Amino acid sequence: MKKISFLHKGFILLCLALLLAFVNVGRAGAREPASEESVKAAILFNLIRFVEWPVSAGADSSSPRIVATFGQDALQQRMVAMASSAELVSRVSALEVADLDQLKDCRDRIQVLYIARSAHKFIPQILDLLEGRPVLLVGDQEGFVMRGGMMNYVRENNRIRFDINLDKAEKSRLKMSAKLFNLARVIVSDGVARERR
């Protein structure tokens, strides 16, 4: 019997999380569906297994990823709560960033930054502060990847999907596994947004 590699197991977990997103979120008659925020947080915490940070980013593959949140919304609160769960505490550490000054102080320690809807007005300043740094920028608003983000959630009918901006990720020296591409709705590459089905 063939052994399943760690990466393969992680990919299966990501696919299962996305399957939950596709089937259960907001569907009438679904039996106790996972909340939209829980599904989105699960997607992110599984997705980051398929992102490779440069060695200079300060965390090797065995260290917990520092996921910072800027601003507050229901997803931000769910992410912070999930990151402290027994299942995730060994590979994810949550950091709540209160303002731009704190972000400036911690920008060299974080690997992921989720920008809550309440903080979208600060996107230009956040992009300036993190320019060229290996920080995965995640948003929860349609079009975020076209404004400089690297990943945003989108709701398509009753499904939660995500868009990816490969150009921005590569500029920040982040490598995304090709396995993610088949799960994305839109991929921005070479300045062109291509929709996938």
Side-chain angles (χ1 to χ4, degrees):
M1 190 165 146
K2 286 174 73 175
K3 289 185 178 177
I4 298 175
S5 70
F6 173 76
L7 186 59
H8 189 83
K9 285 179 184 175
F11 186 63
I12 290 171
L13 288 173
L14 176 59
C15 289
L16 289 173
L18 289 173
L19 182 62
L20 280 174
F22 293 166
V23 175
N24 285 337
V25 175
R27 192 180 74 184
R31 201 182 308 169
E32 293 187 28
S35 72
E36 183 170 325
E37 290 76 23
S38 294
V39 171
K40 288 176 177 178
I43 288 171
L44 178 63
F45 292 145
N46 280 292
L47 180 143
I48 59 178
R49 294 181 181 207
F50 300 93
V51 178
E52 184 180 324
W53 279 262
V55 175
S56 61
D60 59 39
S61 59
S62 63
S63 301
R65 296 290 179 227
I66 299 177
V67 178
T69 61
F70 191 105
Q72 293 188 336
D73 60 18
L75 176 53
Q76 177 267 343
Q77 293 169 5
R78 187 67 194 127
M79 288 171 64
V80 171
M82 281 183 75
S84 63
S85 70
E87 295 82 15
L88 289 175
V89 73
S90 64
R91 62 185 180 90
V92 175
S93 177
L95 173 66
E96 296 181 77
V97 177
D99 54 38
L100 292 169
D101 288 335
Q102 186 182 357
L103 178 60
K104 185 176 181 180
D105 290 342
C106 70
R107 63 186 171 181
D108 292 325
R109 295 187 296 119
I110 63 176
Q111 284 80 45
V112 181
L113 177 65
Y114 168 70
I115 304 171
R117 287 176 181 256
S118 66
H120 272 234
K121 63 185 176 184
F122 297 110
I123 287 175
Q125 297 98 313
I126 292 169
L127 293 176
D128 284 345
L129 281 173
L130 298 179
E131 180 69 31
R133 284 181 165 76
V135 177
L136 180 68
L137 297 174
V138 181
D140 188 23
Q141 193 168 51
E142 181 82 35
F144 177 65
V145 297
M146 303 308 292
R147 296 181 62 194
M150 297 172 198
M151 174 193 159
N152 68 253
Y153 298 102
V154 290
R155 187 168 182 143
E156 189 177 65
N157 301 319
N158 290 326
R159 302 185 302 169
I160 302 299
R161 298 186 70 184
F162 56 89
D163 298 339
I164 294 173
N165 189 324
L166 279 181
D167 293 340
K168 293 293 183 181
E170 289 172 1
K171 190 174 179 183
S172 294
R173 297 170 288 133
L174 299 178
K175 293 181 183 177
M176 292 187 175
S177 168
K179 292 179 178 180
L180 294 177
F181 304 164
N182 291 332
L183 302 172
R185 183 194 69 157
V186 170
I187 297 175
V188 179
S189 181
D190 298 325
V192 178
R194 296 177 175 86
E195 191 164 347
R196 302 179 64 89
R197 288 292 168 196

